[in-house]
């Protein structure tokens, strides 16, 4: 199985329950939606090659790449990361679920290297996710709220995310659900999303992420808005986390 990659690099996880952990990131190319706050628009399109980097060294490799080769590259960075050995590899995007066969083969190859697969996805395709779940160790699912997309149906995305979360929990995977909060998010839409996720309240880590201004979003989330969102989600005991890697000036 092959897929086009945008980059492979070692860094520190800046989001979710594993924040602060040394991790290797494998970013696939192409995304079917457009988040207004996207900070990796360069991954929207496939390039002829992708970069692999750790510390001050970098190399380029041709696209598309075999899943086993991508796993070997990730395993090399996992042991040689400047941030210390990594046990997790984050497959992110772009959108990994565009390539479910690649994800499944990549996860299998990672496990042969003694590494765990952290899948970060917009969670738009439950059927594709079900194909991958046997090799996924942790799922980080973005729940796209109305007002955060400039292209794509946020209502449909929310239903798909709910189905993805249900499938991952049914298979016994740990699950983070991340909601990026901007000043365009309406209270009623946020409450509706919480109601859809209520059956999973004890099984997920709900991460509320105040937006890092990027692309079409020029202003941070007002403190009063954040306080209200946290109050509304109180039964989930949400974790409020900005993008910590951005705070640290990391990739």
């Amino acid at each position: 199985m092959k897929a086009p990659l945008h980059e492979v690099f070692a860094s520190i996880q800046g989001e979710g329950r594993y924040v602060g952990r040394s991790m290797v990131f494998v970013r696939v190319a192409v995304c079917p939606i457009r988040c207004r706050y996207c900070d990796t628009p360069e991954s929207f399109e496939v390039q002829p090659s992708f970069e692999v980097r750790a510390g001050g060294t970098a190399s380029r490799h041709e696209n598309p790449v075999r899943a086993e080769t991508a796993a070997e590259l990730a395993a090399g960075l996992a042991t040689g990361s400047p941030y210390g050995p990594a046990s997790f590899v984050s497959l992110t995007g772009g959108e990994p679920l565009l390539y479910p066969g690649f994800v499944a083969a990549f996860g299998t190859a990672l496990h042969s290297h003694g590494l765990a697969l952290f899948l970060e996805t917009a969670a738009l395709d439950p059927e594709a996710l079900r194909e991958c779940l046997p090799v996924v160790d942790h799922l980080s699912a973005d729940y796209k709220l109305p007002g955060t997309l400039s292209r794509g149906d946020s209502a449909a995305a929310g239903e798909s995310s709910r189905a993805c979360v249900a499938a991952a929990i049914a298979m016994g995977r740990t699950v983070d659900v991340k909601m990026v909060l901007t000043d365009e998010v309406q209270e009623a839409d946020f409450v509706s999303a919480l109601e859809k996720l209520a059956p999973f309240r004890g099984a997920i880590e709900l991460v509320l992420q105040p937006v890092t201004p990027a692309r079409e979003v020029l202003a941070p989330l007002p403190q009063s808005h954040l306080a209200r969102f946290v109050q509304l989600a109180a039964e989930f005991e949400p974790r409020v986390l900005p993008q910590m890697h951005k705070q640290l000036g990391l990739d």
Side-chain angles (χ1 to χ4, degrees):
M1 293 292 180
K2 292 184 177 182
L5 301 186
H6 177 67
E7 59 186 347
V8 180
F9 61 98
S11 188
I12 292 174
Q13 178 58 252
E15 302 178 358
R17 75 177 69 189
Y18 292 104
V19 66
R21 290 270 296 268
S22 175
M23 201 170 287
V24 175
F25 297 82
V26 176
R27 187 183 305 281
V28 303
V30 184
C31 185
I33 58 174
R34 294 292 180 268
C35 298
R36 297 183 62 246
Y37 52 80
C38 182
D39 59 358
T40 54
E42 63 276 9
S43 69
F44 291 166
E45 306 292 340
V46 176
Q47 300 299 322
S49 63
F50 63 95
E51 186 175 67
V52 178
R53 62 183 185 278
T57 63
S59 59
R60 297 203 69 86
H61 302 258
E62 291 186 359
N63 270 322
V65 63
R66 294 176 64 246
E68 294 77 10
T69 301
E72 289 172 6
L73 292 170
L77 295 189
T79 57
S81 169
Y83 304 104
S87 57
F88 268 104
V89 174
S90 172
L91 186 61
T92 184
E95 177 46 62
L97 291 184
L98 292 176
Y99 316 102
F102 175 88
V103 177
F106 179 74
T108 299
L110 277 186
H111 290 167
S112 73
H113 289 284
L115 296 167
L117 176 58
F118 179 117
L119 179 62
E120 184 170 358
T121 170
L124 301 174
D125 190 337
E127 290 304 317
L129 179 63
R130 291 187 184 97
E131 185 177 336
C132 308
L133 274 174
V135 299
V136 172
D137 298 285
H138 174 75
L139 176 69
S140 178
D142 282 9
Y143 195 109
K144 304 300 183 183
L145 294 163
T148 64
L149 296 180
S150 57
R151 188 177 87 188
D153 183 345
S154 57
E159 289 298 330
S160 295
S161 293
R162 185 184 186 282
C164 285
V165 169
I169 290 172
M171 195 164 281
R173 302 303 184 250
T174 57
V175 179
D176 289 352
V177 176
K178 181 181 72 181
M179 294 183 181
V180 177
L181 303 175
T182 75
D183 61 6
E184 296 292 326
V185 174
Q186 300 299 308
E187 183 174 311
D189 293 326
F190 183 71
V191 170
S192 177
L194 295 178
E195 290 172 348
K196 289 182 173 65
L197 293 171
F200 316 119
R201 189 166 55 226
I204 63 173
E205 182 87 31
L206 179 63
V207 179
L208 303 183
Q209 184 174 293
V211 69
T212 302
R215 204 162 174 256
E216 298 175 28
V217 178
L218 304 179
L221 183 72
Q223 184 177 355
S224 60
H225 287 45
L226 176 60
R228 181 57 177 160
F229 288 134
V230 173
Q231 290 169 1
L232 291 168
E235 290 187 351
F236 285 82
E237 298 183 349
R239 184 175 298 195
V240 178
L241 280 174
Q243 291 182 298
M244 293 305 300
H245 55 295
K246 299 293 186 181
Q247 306 295 317
L248 297 170
L250 302 173
D251 292 325

